[in-house]
Structure formats: C-alpha cells, structure tokens
C-alpha cells in the first residue's frame, strides 16, 4: 500500500512570499527544496487534509479521491477543499467543526454541498472512538493545537496495516498516554515537525517530534509539516539519522510502501 506525502510544508509553504530566510532563499533557486502545504494520500482513494495547494497535488498525483479526512479546520489543512470538484462522489470525514467548514466552502465556491452533478456526503466523527468505514477502521484522536477548538489526528487500520497521522499538535501529545498507546507500534507514523523548538499547545519541534517516534516505536516515521523557519532539510535529515530511529524527513511527493 503506497502512502504519499503530497505537501511537506506548514501554513506558509516554502518559500514564503517576501521572506529572505535561508530556506526560502534556497527554495527560490532550487525547486527540490520547495515545500507546499501539508496533504497526504493513502492508496485506495484516501486524502488527508485538502491543502491550499491541492490542485497542484492532484495534477501530479492523478488519482481518484473517494474519501477525505480532515484533521482540523485551519486554512492550510482545509482551504483546498473546493478543488475536489473534479470528483462527482466524495465522502468527507472529520469532527463537526471541520465538516461544517467543508460544507461552507462548498456552498460558497461550488454553489452548494450537493449540486445535481455532485454527490458529496459528510460524516461527523467524534474524538476517542473507532469507526468502521468500508473495509477499514479509523480512530479520530484529539490533539492540543491552540487557536482552534477542535484539532485531531487519525489512525487508519487498512489491510492489516496501521497508519497514524498526528495532524497539528503541541508537545502535550508526549504526555498523552492514551494517544501514545494508540499509535504504539504503527507501521507508519506521519508526524509533524513544524519548528526548531516546540511551542506549547501549538506545534512540535525537532527534538520532540523525534521523541514521539521513539516513544511510539513506529516501524517507520515520516516527518512533515516543516516550517520555512525550521533548520535546512540537510540538517533535519542529519538529526533524524543520528537519532537512530527508522524514518526520514519528507519532501513534497515523498512516498513509501507500507
């Protein structure tokens, strides 16, 4: 089963307009160092977080999307939702706040949630329980991510494999025993690594992102949601390599077979 990190960046992407930091300056010269906003594809038509760069992602991926899971309703994780207009049938899953925002975006930009030529179905998920969804099990867990009331991650059980996606989370996840146990031993962990240092209640830094991978003992970890203000990709790769964990720092369109 193939998993693709479509976008590896955080809210501003890299390069950020008008920014002259090292990462932004290098990315303007070398396209391989660019980072679009976070989005994830799981083989079988599953999309996690329709980022503002979704048209670019779908253009390159060129796969049908059937199910959309949204971690939370912040701009960089949901603003690309109307780009799914190319698909007639889509099922959308998230906590009520994100589902309502998805409906709102559809109504504003596409003339309603279900025009005559479109069958989009919206499913509200509660935090802290498993759901059986067409051949897979999905668990939606809550994370601490300030400035929004409801933010979460997902654990997908598909064809005997477990894939965990943290979404945006503060370092409080390291003390959340229930979530750590849930993720423990995952075949693949997609963990955010937004900043150099963690911001309580908001995002993970490099050290704490690596610590999360160590605590959960995932078989493999892809670190994503990288801010332009973080270390360079080469430094991040070195930090992960020296930690001894099994994993790497994602670039745009990094894929792995699970």
């Amino acid at each position: 089963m193939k998993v693709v990190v479509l976008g590896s960046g955080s809210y501003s992407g890299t390069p950020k307009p008008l920014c002259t930091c090292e990462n932004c300056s290098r990315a303007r010269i070398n396209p391989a160092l660019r980072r679009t906003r976070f989005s994830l594809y799981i083989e079988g038509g599953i999309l996690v977080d329709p980022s503002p760069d979704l048209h670019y992602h779908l253009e390159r991926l060129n796969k049908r999307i059937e199910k959309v899971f949204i971690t939370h309703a912040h701009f960089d994780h949901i603003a690309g939702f109307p780009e799914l207009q190319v698909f007639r049938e889509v099922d959308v899953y998230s906590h009520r706040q994100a589902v309502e925002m998805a409906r709102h975006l559809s109504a504003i930009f596409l003339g309603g949630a279900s025009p005559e030529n479109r069958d989009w179905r919206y499913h509200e998920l509660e935090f802290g329980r498993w759901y059986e969804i067409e051949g897979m099990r999905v668990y939606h867990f809550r994370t601490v991510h300030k400035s929004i009331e409801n933010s979460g991650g997902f654990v997908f059980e598909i064809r005997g494999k477990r894939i965990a996606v943290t979404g945006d989370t503060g370092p409080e996840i390291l003390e959340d025993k229930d979530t750590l146990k849930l993720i423990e031993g995952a075949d693949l962990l997609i963990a955010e690594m937004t900043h150099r240092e963690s911001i309580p209640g908001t995002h993970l830094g490099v050290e704490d992102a690596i610590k999360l991978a160590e605590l959960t003992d995932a078989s493999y970890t892809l670190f994503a949601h990288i801010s332009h203000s973080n270390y360079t990709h080469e430094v991040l790769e070195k930090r992960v390599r020296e930690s001894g964990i099994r994993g790497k720092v994602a670039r745009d369109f990094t894929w792995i077979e699970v």
Side-chain angles (χ1 to χ4, degrees), residues 4-102:
V4 186
V5 176
L6 301 173
S8 60
S10 64
Y11 78 101
S12 67
T14 303
K16 178 181 178 180
L18 305 181
C19 183
T20 58
C21 75
E22 181 178 11
N23 280 321
C24 290
S25 298
R26 294 177 68 205
R28 289 190 180 95
I29 298 171
N30 182 357
L33 298 176
R34 296 175 63 89
R35 295 188 186 278
T36 55
R37 274 71 65 91
F38 177 78
S39 201
L40 180 73
Y41 174 78
I42 301 173
E43 189 174 8
I46 300 167
L47 178 76
V48 180
D49 287 350
S51 96
D53 301 301
L54 187 61
H55 183 277
Y56 171 71
H57 296 159
L58 294 177
E59 179 185 348
R60 294 194 62 183
L61 179 68
N62 202 34
K63 299 286 187 181
R64 181 173 297 279
I65 301 300
E66 298 176 354
K67 297 178 179 63
V68 178
F69 292 85
I70 303 169
T71 60
H72 63 296
H74 271 160
F75 162 79
D76 53 323
H77 294 261
I78 199 172
F81 184 74
E83 296 290 359
L84 294 164
Q85 63 182 303
V86 295
F87 305 112
R88 184 184 183 280
E89 295 188 24
V90 173
D91 284 280
V92 182
Y93 302 87
S94 190
H95 189 273
R96 182 180 62 184
Q97 184 180 23
V99 167
E100 289 178 350
M101 179 58 71

